[in-house]
Amino acid sequence: FIVNTNNGLVQAIVKLQHKHPEIAKDLSKSIFDLSLLSQREAESGEIDSALARQTAILEKLATFLAV
């Protein structure tokens, strides 16, 4: 995979990795999951896991922002 380092989300993750490494790691996995899904390269069993990870990161972000 090629990572577009000019992408705003990728740049934000780089900044987050110092203060919030767990969230940065989860967001990186999320981008990877979405790239597999968009290219239809995810196996059927991986789709459920990817959706669960998406939900988990959204919950973390919502909790983080609500504080």
Side-chain angles (χ1 to χ4, degrees), residues 5 16 20 27 32-33 35-36 39 45 55-56 60:
T5 57
L16 267 176
H20 305 285
L27 285 170
F32 183 73
D33 286 340
S35 69
L36 289 177
Q39 296 299 314
T55 301
K60 284 182 185 180

Side-chain angles (χ1 to χ4, degrees), residues 1 3-4 7 9-10 13 15-16 18 22-23 25 27 29-30 32-33 37-38 41 44 47 49 53 57 63:
F1 285 92
V3 176
N4 178 1
N7 180 280
L9 180 55
V10 172
I13 291 170
K15 291 177 185 176
L16 267 176
H18 300 291
E22 184 178 334
I23 292 175
K25 182 178 178 181
L27 285 170
K29 287 181 183 178
S30 178
F32 183 73
D33 286 340
L37 291 170
S38 71
E41 292 187 24
S44 61
I47 293 172
S49 298
R53 283 190 296 274
I57 189 61
T63 302

